[in-house]
Amino acid sequence: MRRLMEIAYLLGSETLEGLANPYRMLAEGAGFASPRGMDRAVRVLRQEGWAKESPADASEKASWVFELSGKGLEDLMDGIDPEVEWGREWNGLWSTVSFDLPSEARVERRQLELWLRKRRFGHLQGSLWISPRAYGDWGVELSERHVDPRRLVFQESRAVGMLRDDDYVRKGWNFDRIGQCYRDYMDFLDTRPSAAVGSEQAISWWFEQESRLWKLAFESDPFLPISLYPNGYLGKEAWQRRKAAFRRIAEEMSQA
């Protein structure tokens, strides 16, 4: 299901509608062996609100085409649009979260850590986490995870003293790991481009591996405003190459 959503998101409904056979791109890329399985998956996406409903006069070809809803994007991308995040202007303030949960509150601590990582907070030290994003409805989100927001302290701060913003960035996130994840991903795109066109099994295998490697990079990247990244950051290049690879595969499959 995730791969189906990724393909639809990266290509967009206009590109899919322009393909001679959008079913092949979606179904084979996502690993569906029959139209029945594909039908069921698209129906579930729409019923659960992850995909927008098709127009009433949709053609047979357009019935395979769908656009992700806001809920679908939140589920697939954690609410992150990489290009929007990179281009965001930063006001120089860090949002910080600190807490003092007892060690026996294991479930609550685990839920809090999952939320912090989902929202791409950096772990500065101990129970102190940071983000360049402005405070949102974080208390509500934590309450939904059964974490009492009154046991946390949210503040905004500015780097002062000997530590600078780039020190915060390097301490908060593991950019060695982030860089390696992106290099592994782009190496895959470089060395296996022909695997995307061929048998159904080869197509499905390519998308499965691509999705796995991209997810490793995506989940480790905080998607900061681009001015905060250290030199040598590879995320923007990898993102552009990913979109180009999907477009190329769509064209090749359409011509096959």
Side-chain angles (χ1 to χ4, degrees), residues 104-186:
E104 59 267 21
R106 289 188 296 272
V107 174
E108 197 170 5
R109 290 175 69 95
R110 177 58 176 163
Q111 285 300 314
L112 174 58
E113 181 177 349
L114 289 173
W115 178 83
L116 289 166
R117 296 195 183 281
K118 176 183 174 68
R119 290 297 174 222
R120 300 306 198 277
F121 276 80
H123 189 194
L124 199 59
Q125 61 181 31
S127 63
L128 180 60
W129 296 69
I130 60 170
S131 171
R133 296 176 177 85
Y135 178 84
D137 294 330
W138 295 345
V140 175
E141 292 182 21
L142 288 167
S143 294
E144 291 173 350
R145 287 177 172 263
H146 305 291
V147 177
D148 186 350
R150 295 171 297 182
R151 304 175 75 171
L152 286 75
V153 177
F154 299 98
Q155 292 180 312
E156 287 187 338
S157 63
R158 192 183 301 273
V160 296
M162 298 183 66
L163 289 181
R164 301 177 303 177
D165 292 323
D166 56 351
D167 295 316
Y168 279 30
V169 169
R170 288 186 173 86
K171 287 171 68 68
W173 293 274
N174 185 347
F175 278 94
D176 288 338
R177 180 176 184 274
I178 293 169
Q180 188 60 57
C181 285
Y182 279 126
R183 282 189 291 273
D184 290 345
Y185 175 77
M186 289 191 287

Coordinates of all heavy atoms in Angstrom, one line a residue, residues 104-186:
E104 N 9.8 4.4 35.2 CA 8.7 3.4 35.2 C 7.6 3.7 34.2 O 6.8 2.8 33.8 CB 8.1 3.1 36.6 CG 7.5 4.4 37.2 CD 8.5 5.1 38.1 OE1 9.7 4.9 37.9 OE2 8.0 5.9 39.0
A105 N 7.6 5.0 33.7 CA 6.6 5.3 32.7 C 7.1 5.0 31.3 O 7.2 5.8 30.4 CB 6.3 6.8 32.8
R106 N 7.3 3.7 31.1 CA 8.0 3.2 29.9 C 7.1 3.5 28.6 O 7.6 3.9 27.6 CB 8.3 1.8 30.0 CG 9.5 1.5 31.0 CD 9.9 0.0 30.9 NE 8.9 -0.9 31.3 CZ 8.7 -1.3 32.6 NH1 9.4 -0.8 33.5 NH2 7.7 -2.1 32.9
V107 N 5.8 3.2 28.7 CA 5.0 3.3 27.6 C 4.9 4.8 27.2 O 5.0 5.2 26.0 CB 3.6 2.8 27.9 CG1 2.6 3.1 26.7 CG2 3.6 1.3 28.1
E108 N 4.7 5.7 28.2 CA 4.6 7.1 27.9 C 5.9 7.6 27.3 O 5.9 8.4 26.4 CB 4.3 7.9 29.2 CG 3.8 9.3 28.9 CD 3.2 9.9 30.2 OE1 3.3 9.2 31.3 OE2 2.7 11.0 30.1
R109 N 7.1 7.2 27.9 CA 8.4 7.6 27.3 C 8.6 7.2 25.9 O 9.1 7.9 25.1 CB 9.5 7.1 28.2 CG 9.6 7.8 29.6 CD 10.6 7.1 30.5 NE 11.9 7.4 30.0 CZ 12.7 8.4 30.4 NH1 12.3 9.2 31.4 NH2 13.9 8.6 29.9
R110 N 8.2 5.9 25.6 CA 8.3 5.4 24.3 C 7.4 6.2 23.3 O 7.9 6.5 22.2 CB 7.9 3.9 24.3 CG 8.0 3.3 22.9 CD 9.3 3.4 22.3 NE 9.4 2.7 21.0 CZ 10.4 2.9 20.1 NH1 11.3 3.8 20.3 NH2 10.4 2.2 18.9
Q111 N 6.2 6.5 23.7 CA 5.3 7.2 22.8 C 5.9 8.6 22.5 O 5.8 9.2 21.4 CB 3.9 7.3 23.4 CG 3.1 6.0 23.3 CD 2.9 5.6 21.8 OE1 2.6 6.4 21.0 NE2 3.1 4.3 21.6
L112 N 6.4 9.2 23.6 CA 7.0 10.6 23.4 C 8.2 10.5 22.5 O 8.3 11.4 21.6 CB 7.4 11.1 24.8 CG 8.2 12.4 24.8 CD1 7.4 13.5 24.1 CD2 8.6 12.8 26.2
E113 N 9.1 9.5 22.6 CA 10.2 9.4 21.7 C 9.8 9.2 20.3 O 10.4 9.8 19.3 CB 11.1 8.3 22.2 CG 12.4 8.2 21.3 CD 13.4 7.1 21.8 OE1 13.2 6.6 22.9 OE2 14.3 6.8 21.0
L114 N 8.8 8.4 20.1 CA 8.3 8.1 18.7 C 7.8 9.4 18.1 O 8.0 9.7 16.9 CB 7.2 7.1 18.7 CG 7.7 5.6 19.0 CD1 6.4 4.7 19.1 CD2 8.6 5.1 17.8
W115 N 7.0 10.2 18.9 CA 6.5 11.5 18.4 C 7.6 12.5 18.1 O 7.6 13.1 17.1 CB 5.5 12.1 19.4 CG 5.0 13.4 19.0 CD1 3.9 13.6 18.2 CD2 5.5 14.7 19.4 NE1 3.7 15.0 18.0 CE2 4.7 15.6 18.8 CE3 6.6 15.1 20.2 CZ2 4.9 17.0 18.9 CZ3 6.8 16.5 20.3 CH2 6.0 17.4 19.7
L116 N 8.6 12.6 19.0 CA 9.7 13.5 18.7 C 10.5 13.1 17.4 O 10.8 14.0 16.7 CB 10.7 13.4 19.9 CG 10.2 14.1 21.2 CD1 11.1 13.7 22.4 CD2 10.2 15.6 21.1
R117 N 10.7 11.9 17.2 CA 11.4 11.5 16.0 C 10.5 11.7 14.7 O 11.0 12.0 13.7 CB 11.9 10.0 16.1 CG 12.9 9.9 17.2 CD 13.7 8.6 17.1 NE 14.6 8.4 18.3 CZ 15.8 9.0 18.4 NH1 16.2 9.8 17.4 NH2 16.5 8.8 19.4
K118 N 9.2 11.4 14.9 CA 8.3 11.6 13.7 C 8.3 13.1 13.4 O 8.2 13.4 12.2 CB 6.9 11.2 14.1 CG 5.8 11.4 13.1 CD 4.4 11.0 13.6 CE 3.3 11.4 12.7 NZ 3.3 10.6 11.4
R119 N 8.3 14.0 14.3 CA 8.3 15.4 14.1 C 9.7 16.0 13.9 O 9.9 17.2 13.8 CB 7.6 16.1 15.2 CG 6.1 15.9 15.3 CD 5.5 16.5 14.1 NE 4.0 16.1 14.0 CZ 3.4 15.8 12.9 NH1 4.1 15.6 11.8 NH2 2.1 15.5 12.9
R120 N 10.7 15.1 13.7 CA 12.1 15.4 13.3 C 12.8 16.3 14.4 O 13.6 17.1 14.0 CB 12.1 16.1 12.0 CG 11.5 15.2 10.8 CD 12.2 13.9 10.8 NE 12.0 13.2 9.5 CZ 10.9 12.5 9.2 NH1 9.9 12.3 10.0 NH2 10.9 11.9 8.0
F121 N 12.5 16.2 15.6 CA 13.3 16.9 16.6 C 14.7 16.3 16.7 O 14.9 15.1 16.5 CB 12.6 16.7 18.0 CG 11.5 17.7 18.3 CD1 10.2 17.5 17.7 CD2 11.7 18.9 19.0 CE1 9.2 18.4 18.0 CE2 10.7 19.8 19.3 CZ 9.4 19.6 18.7
G122 N 15.6 17.1 17.0 CA 17.0 16.7 17.2 C 17.2 16.5 18.7 O 16.7 17.2 19.6
H123 N 18.0 15.4 19.0 CA 18.3 15.1 20.4 C 19.5 15.8 20.8 O 20.6 15.4 20.5 CB 18.4 13.6 20.6 CG 18.5 13.1 22.0 ND1 18.9 11.9 22.4 CD2 18.2 13.8 23.2 CE1 18.8 11.8 23.7 NE2 18.5 12.9 24.2
L124 N 19.4 16.9 21.5 CA 20.6 17.7 21.9 C 21.3 17.1 23.0 O 22.5 16.9 23.0 CB 20.1 19.2 22.2 CG 21.2 20.2 22.2 CD1 21.8 20.3 20.8 CD2 20.6 21.6 22.6
Q125 N 20.6 16.8 24.1 CA 21.3 16.1 25.2 C 20.2 15.7 26.2 O 19.2 16.3 26.4 CB 22.3 17.0 25.9 CG 21.7 18.2 26.5 CD 22.8 19.1 27.2 OE1 23.9 19.1 26.8 NE2 22.4 19.8 28.2
G126 N 20.4 14.6 26.9 CA 19.5 14.1 28.0 C 18.1 14.1 27.6 O 17.7 13.5 26.6
S127 N 17.2 14.9 28.2 CA 15.8 15.0 27.9 C 15.5 16.3 27.1 O 14.4 16.8 27.1 CB 15.0 15.0 29.2 OG 15.3 16.1 30.0
L128 N 16.5 16.9 26.5 CA 16.4 18.1 25.8 C 16.4 17.9 24.3 O 17.4 17.4 23.7 CB 17.5 19.1 26.1 CG 17.4 20.5 25.4 CD1 16.1 21.2 25.7 CD2 18.6 21.3 25.8
W129 N 15.3 18.2 23.6 CA 15.2 18.0 22.1 C 14.9 19.4 21.5 O 14.2 20.3 22.1 CB 14.0 17.1 21.8 CG 14.2 15.7 22.4 CD1 14.3 15.3 23.7 CD2 14.5 14.5 21.6 NE1 14.5 13.9 23.8 CE2 14.6 13.4 22.5 CE3 14.5 14.2 20.2 CZ2 14.8 12.1 22.1 CZ3 14.8 12.9 19.8 CH2 14.9 11.9 20.7
I130 N 15.3 19.6 20.2 CA 15.2 20.9 19.6 C 14.6 20.7 18.2 O 14.7 19.6 17.5 CB 16.5 21.6 19.5 CG1 17.5 20.8 18.7 CG2 17.0 21.9 20.9 CD1 18.8 21.5 18.3
S131 N 14.0 21.8 17.7 CA 13.5 21.9 16.3 C 13.5 23.3 15.9 O 13.1 24.2 16.7 CB 12.1 21.3 16.3 OG 11.5 21.5 15.0
P132 N 13.7 23.6 14.6 CA 13.6 24.9 14.1 C 12.2 25.3 13.8 O 11.9 26.5 13.4 CB 14.5 25.0 12.9 CG 14.4 23.6 12.3 CD 14.3 22.7 13.6
R133 N 11.3 24.4 13.8 CA 9.9 24.6 13.5 C 9.1 25.3 14.7 O 9.4 25.0 15.8 CB 9.1 23.3 13.1 CG 9.7 22.7 11.9 CD 9.1 21.3 11.6 NE 9.6 20.7 10.4 CZ 10.7 20.0 10.3 NH1 11.4 19.7 11.4 NH2 11.1 19.6 9.1
A134 N 8.2 26.2 14.3 CA 7.5 26.9 15.4 C 6.5 25.9 16.0 O 6.1 24.9 15.4 CB 6.7 28.0 14.7
Y135 N 6.2 26.2 17.3 CA 5.2 25.4 18.0 C 3.9 25.3 17.3 O 3.4 26.2 16.8 CB 5.0 26.0 19.4 CG 4.0 25.2 20.3 CD1 4.4 24.2 21.0 CD2 2.7 25.6 20.3 CE1 3.5 23.5 21.8 CE2 1.8 24.9 21.1 CZ 2.2 23.8 21.8 OH 1.3 23.1 22.6
G136 N 3.4 24.0 17.2 CA 2.1 23.8 16.6 C 1.2 23.2 17.6 O 1.3 23.5 18.8
D137 N 0.2 22.3 17.2 CA -0.7 21.7 18.1 C 0.0 20.5 18.8 O -0.6 19.4 18.8 CB -2.0 21.3 17.4 CG -2.8 22.5 16.9 OD1 -2.7 23.5 17.6 OD2 -3.4 22.4 15.9
W138 N 1.1 20.7 19.3 CA 1.9 19.5 19.9 C 1.3 18.9 21.1 O 1.3 17.7 21.3 CB 3.3 20.0 20.2 CG 4.1 20.4 18.9 CD1 3.7 20.2 17.6 CD2 5.3 21.1 18.9 NE1 4.6 20.7 16.8 CE2 5.6 21.3 17.5 CE3 6.1 21.7 19.8 CZ2 6.8 22.0 17.1 CZ3 7.3 22.4 19.4 CH2 7.6 22.5 18.0
G139 N 0.7 19.8 21.9 CA 0.0 19.2 23.1 C -1.1 18.3 22.7 O -1.3 17.2 23.4
V140 N -1.9 18.7 21.7 CA -3.0 17.8 21.3 C -2.5 16.5 20.7 O -3.0 15.5 21.0 CB -3.8 18.6 20.2 CG1 -4.9 17.7 19.6 CG2 -4.5 19.8 20.8
E141 N -1.4 16.6 19.9 CA -0.8 15.4 19.3 C -0.3 14.5 20.4 O -0.5 13.2 20.3 CB 0.3 15.8 18.4 CG -0.1 16.5 17.1 CD 1.0 16.8 16.2 OE1 2.1 16.2 16.3 OE2 0.9 17.7 15.4
L142 N 0.3 15.0 21.4 CA 0.8 14.1 22.5 C -0.3 13.5 23.3 O -0.2 12.4 23.7 CB 1.8 14.9 23.4 CG 3.1 15.3 22.7 CD1 3.8 16.3 23.5 CD2 4.0 14.0 22.6
S143 N -1.4 14.3 23.5 CA -2.5 13.8 24.2 C -3.1 12.6 23.5 O -3.6 11.6 24.1 CB -3.6 14.9 24.4 OG -3.1 15.9 25.3
E144 N -3.1 12.7 22.2 CA -3.7 11.5 21.4 C -2.8 10.3 21.5 O -3.3 9.2 21.3 CB -3.8 12.0 19.9 CG -4.9 13.0 19.7 CD -4.9 13.6 18.3 OE1 -3.9 13.3 17.5 OE2 -5.8 14.3 17.9
R145 N -1.6 10.5 21.9 CA -0.6 9.3 22.1 C -0.6 9.0 23.6 O 0.2 8.2 24.0 CB 0.8 9.7 21.6 CG 0.9 9.7 20.1 CD 2.3 10.2 19.7 NE 2.6 10.1 18.3 CZ 3.2 9.0 17.7 NH1 3.6 8.0 18.4 NH2 3.3 9.0 16.4
H146 N -1.5 9.5 24.4 CA -1.6 9.3 25.8 C -0.3 9.7 26.6 O 0.1 9.0 27.5 CB -1.9 7.8 26.1 CG -3.1 7.3 25.3 ND1 -4.4 7.7 25.7 CD2 -3.2 6.4 24.3 CE1 -5.3 7.1 24.9 NE2 -4.6 6.4 24.0
V147 N 0.2 10.8 26.1 CA 1.3 11.5 26.8 C 0.8 12.8 27.4 O 0.2 13.6 26.6 CB 2.5 11.8 25.9 CG1 3.6 12.5 26.6 CG2 3.0 10.5 25.3
D148 N 0.9 13.0 28.7 CA 0.4 14.2 29.3 C 1.3 15.4 29.0 O 2.4 15.4 29.4 CB 0.3 14.0 30.8 CG -0.4 15.1 31.5 OD1 -0.6 16.2 30.9 OD2 -0.6 15.0 32.7
P149 N 0.8 16.3 28.1 CA 1.7 17.4 27.8 C 2.1 18.3 28.9 O 3.0 19.1 28.8 CB 0.9 18.2 26.7 CG -0.6 17.8 27.0 CD -0.5 16.4 27.5
R150 N 1.3 18.2 30.1 CA 1.7 19.0 31.2 C 3.0 18.6 31.9 O 3.5 19.3 32.8 CB 0.5 19.0 32.2 CG -0.8 19.7 31.7 CD -1.9 19.5 32.6 NE -2.3 18.0 32.7 CZ -3.3 17.6 33.4 NH1 -4.1 18.4 34.1 NH2 -3.5 16.2 33.4
R151 N 3.5 17.4 31.5 CA 4.7 16.9 32.1 C 5.9 17.3 31.2 O 7.0 16.8 31.5 CB 4.6 15.4 32.2 CG 3.4 14.9 33.1 CD 3.2 13.4 33.1 NE 4.2 12.8 34.0 CZ 4.1 11.5 34.3 NH1 3.2 10.7 33.9 NH2 5.1 11.0 35.1
L152 N 5.7 18.1 30.2 CA 6.7 18.5 29.3 C 6.8 20.1 29.4 O 5.8 20.7 29.7 CB 6.5 18.1 27.9 CG 6.7 16.7 27.5 CD1 5.5 15.8 28.0 CD2 6.8 16.5 26.0
V153 N 7.9 20.6 29.0 CA 8.1 22.1 29.0 C 8.5 22.4 27.5 O 9.5 21.9 27.0 CB 9.3 22.5 29.9 CG1 9.5 24.0 29.7 CG2 8.9 22.2 31.3
F154 N 7.7 23.2 26.9 CA 7.9 23.8 25.6 C 8.4 25.2 25.7 O 7.8 26.0 26.3 CB 6.6 23.7 24.7 CG 6.1 22.4 24.5 CD1 5.0 21.9 25.3 CD2 6.5 21.5 23.5 CE1 4.5 20.7 25.1 CE2 6.0 20.2 23.3 CZ 5.0 19.8 24.1
Q155 N 9.5 25.5 25.0 CA 10.0 26.8 25.0 C 10.6 27.2 23.7 O 10.9 26.3 22.9 CB 11.2 27.0 26.1 CG 10.7 26.8 27.5 CD 11.8 27.0 28.5 OE1 12.8 26.4 28.4 NE2 11.6 27.8 29.5
E156 N 10.8 28.5 23.5 CA 11.6 29.0 22.3 C 12.8 29.6 22.8 O 12.8 30.3 23.8 CB 10.8 30.0 21.5 CG 9.6 29.4 20.7 CD 8.9 30.4 19.8 OE1 9.1 31.6 20.1 OE2 8.3 29.9 18.8
S157 N 14.0 29.4 22.1 CA 15.2 29.9 22.6 C 16.1 30.3 21.4 O 15.9 29.8 20.3 CB 15.9 28.9 23.5 OG 16.2 27.7 22.8
R158 N 17.2 31.0 21.7 CA 18.1 31.4 20.7 C 19.5 31.0 21.1 O 19.8 31.1 22.3 CB 18.1 32.9 20.4 CG 18.8 33.4 19.2 CD 18.8 34.9 19.1 NE 17.4 35.4 19.1 CZ 16.7 35.5 17.9 NH1 17.3 35.2 16.8 NH2 15.5 36.0 17.9
A159 N 20.3 30.5 20.2 CA 21.7 30.1 20.6 C 22.5 31.3 21.0 O 22.6 32.3 20.3 CB 22.4 29.5 19.4
V160 N 23.1 31.2 22.2 CA 23.9 32.3 22.8 C 25.2 31.6 23.3 O 25.3 30.4 23.5 CB 23.2 33.1 23.9 CG1 22.0 33.8 23.3 CG2 22.8 32.2 25.0
G161 N 26.2 32.5 23.6 CA 27.4 31.9 24.2 C 28.3 31.3 23.2 O 28.4 31.8 22.0
M162 N 29.0 30.3 23.5 CA 30.0 29.7 22.6 C 29.4 28.8 21.6 O 30.0 28.5 20.5 CB 31.1 28.9 23.5 CG 31.9 29.8 24.4 SD 33.2 28.9 25.3 CE 34.3 28.5 24.0
L163 N 28.2 28.2 21.9 CA 27.6 27.3 20.9 C 26.8 28.1 19.9 O 26.1 29.1 20.2 CB 26.7 26.4 21.6 CG 27.3 25.2 22.4 CD1 26.2 24.4 23.0 CD2 28.3 24.4 21.6
R164 N 27.0 27.8 18.6 CA 26.3 28.4 17.5 C 25.2 27.5 17.0 O 25.1 26.3 17.3 CB 27.2 28.9 16.4 CG 28.4 29.8 16.9 CD 29.3 30.1 15.8 NE 29.9 28.9 15.3 CZ 30.8 28.9 14.2 NH1 31.1 30.0 13.6 NH2 31.3 27.7 13.8
D165 N 24.4 28.1 16.0 CA 23.3 27.3 15.5 C 23.8 26.0 14.8 O 23.2 24.9 14.9 CB 22.5 28.1 14.5 CG 21.7 29.2 15.2 OD1 21.2 29.0 16.3 OD2 21.6 30.3 14.6
D166 N 25.0 26.1 14.1 CA 25.5 24.9 13.4 C 26.0 23.9 14.4 O 26.0 22.7 14.1 CB 26.6 25.3 12.4 CG 27.7 26.1 13.0 OD1 27.6 26.5 14.1 OD2 28.7 26.3 12.3
D167 N 26.4 24.3 15.6 CA 26.8 23.4 16.6 C 25.5 22.6 17.1 O 25.5 21.4 17.3 CB 27.4 24.1 17.8 CG 28.7 24.7 17.5 OD1 29.5 24.1 16.8 OD2 28.9 25.9 17.9
Y168 N 24.4 23.3 17.2 CA 23.1 22.7 17.6 C 22.8 21.6 16.6 O 22.3 20.5 16.9 CB 22.0 23.7 17.7 CG 22.0 24.5 19.0 CD1 23.1 24.8 19.7 CD2 20.8 25.0 19.5 CE1 23.1 25.5 20.9 CE2 20.7 25.7 20.7 CZ 21.9 26.0 21.4 OH 21.8 26.7 22.5
V169 N 22.9 22.0 15.3 CA 22.5 21.1 14.2 C 23.4 19.8 14.3 O 22.8 18.7 14.2 CB 22.7 21.8 12.9 CG1 22.6 20.8 11.7 CG2 21.6 22.9 12.7
R170 N 24.7 19.9 14.4 CA 25.5 18.8 14.4 C 25.3 17.9 15.7 O 25.5 16.7 15.6 CB 27.0 19.2 14.3 CG 27.4 19.7 12.9 CD 28.9 20.0 12.8 NE 29.2 20.3 11.5 CZ 29.2 21.6 10.9 NH1 28.7 22.6 11.7 NH2 29.5 21.8 9.7
K171 N 25.0 18.6 16.8 CA 24.8 17.8 18.0 C 23.4 17.1 18.0 O 23.2 16.1 18.6 CB 24.9 18.7 19.3 CG 26.3 19.1 19.6 CD 26.4 20.2 20.7 CE 25.9 19.7 22.0 NZ 26.8 18.7 22.6
G172 N 22.5 17.8 17.4 CA 21.1 17.3 17.4 C 20.8 16.1 16.5 O 19.9 15.3 16.7
W173 N 21.5 16.1 15.3 CA 21.2 15.1 14.3 C 22.5 14.4 13.8 O 23.6 15.1 13.8 CB 20.5 15.7 13.1 CG 19.1 16.2 13.5 CD1 18.0 15.5 13.5 CD2 18.8 17.5 13.9 NE1 16.9 16.3 13.9 CE2 17.4 17.5 14.1 CE3 19.5 18.7 14.1 CZ2 16.7 18.7 14.5 CZ3 18.8 19.9 14.5 CH2 17.4 19.8 14.7
N174 N 22.4 13.2 13.4 CA 23.6 12.4 13.0 C 23.8 12.6 11.5 O 23.2 11.8 10.7 CB 23.4 10.9 13.4 CG 24.6 10.1 13.1 OD1 25.5 10.5 12.4 ND2 24.7 8.9 13.6
F175 N 24.5 13.6 11.1 CA 24.6 13.8 9.7 C 25.6 12.9 9.0 O 25.5 12.7 7.7 CB 25.0 15.3 9.4 CG 23.8 16.2 9.5 CD1 23.5 16.8 10.6 CD2 23.0 16.3 8.4 CE1 22.4 17.6 10.7 CE2 21.9 17.1 8.4 CZ 21.6 17.8 9.6
D176 N 26.4 12.2 9.7 CA 27.2 11.1 9.1 C 26.3 10.0 8.6 O 26.4 9.5 7.5 CB 28.2 10.5 10.1 CG 29.4 11.5 10.3 OD1 29.6 12.3 9.5 OD2 30.0 11.3 11.4
R177 N 25.3 9.6 9.4 CA 24.3 8.6 9.0 C 23.4 9.1 7.9 O 23.1 8.4 7.0 CB 23.5 8.2 10.3 CG 22.5 7.1 10.0 CD 21.7 6.6 11.2 NE 20.8 5.5 10.9 CZ 19.6 5.7 10.5 NH1 19.1 6.9 10.3 NH2 18.8 4.7 10.2
I178 N 23.0 10.3 8.0 CA 22.1 10.9 7.0 C 22.8 10.9 5.7 O 22.2 10.5 4.6 CB 21.7 12.3 7.4 CG1 20.8 12.3 8.6 CG2 20.9 13.0 6.2 CD1 20.5 13.6 9.3
G179 N 24.0 11.3 5.6 CA 24.8 11.3 4.4 C 25.0 10.0 3.8 O 24.8 9.8 2.6
Q180 N 25.3 9.0 4.6 CA 25.5 7.6 4.2 C 24.2 7.0 3.6 O 24.2 6.3 2.6 CB 26.0 6.7 5.3 CG 26.4 5.3 4.8 CD 27.5 5.4 3.8 OE1 28.6 6.0 4.0 NE2 27.2 4.8 2.6
C181 N 23.1 7.3 4.2 CA 21.8 6.9 3.7 C 21.5 7.4 2.3 O 21.1 6.7 1.4 CB 20.6 7.3 4.7 SG 20.6 6.3 6.2
Y182 N 21.8 8.7 2.1 CA 21.5 9.3 0.8 C 22.5 8.8 -0.2 O 22.2 8.6 -1.4 CB 21.6 10.8 0.9 CG 20.4 11.5 1.4 CD1 20.4 12.3 2.5 CD2 19.1 11.2 0.8 CE1 19.2 12.9 3.0 CE2 18.0 11.8 1.3 CZ 18.0 12.7 2.4 OH 16.9 13.2 2.8
R183 N 23.8 8.5 0.2 CA 24.7 8.0 -0.8 C 24.3 6.6 -1.2 O 24.4 6.2 -2.4 CB 26.1 7.9 -0.2 CG 26.8 9.3 -0.2 CD 28.3 9.2 0.2 NE 28.4 8.9 1.7 CZ 28.5 9.8 2.6 NH1 28.4 11.0 2.3 NH2 28.6 9.4 3.9
D184 N 23.8 5.7 -0.2 CA 23.4 4.4 -0.6 C 22.2 4.5 -1.5 O 22.1 3.7 -2.5 CB 22.9 3.7 0.7 CG 24.1 3.3 1.6 OD1 25.3 3.3 1.1 OD2 23.9 3.0 2.8
Y185 N 21.3 5.4 -1.3 CA 20.1 5.6 -2.1 C 20.5 5.9 -3.5 O 20.1 5.3 -4.5 CB 19.2 6.6 -1.6 CG 18.0 6.9 -2.5 CD1 16.9 6.0 -2.5 CD2 18.0 8.0 -3.3 CE1 15.9 6.2 -3.4 CE2 16.9 8.2 -4.1 CZ 15.8 7.3 -4.2 OH 14.8 7.5 -5.0
M186 N 21.4 6.9 -3.7 CA 21.8 7.4 -5.0 C 22.6 6.4 -5.7 O 22.6 6.2 -7.0 CB 22.5 8.7 -4.9 CG 21.5 9.9 -4.6 SD 22.2 11.5 -4.8 CE 23.3 11.6 -3.4

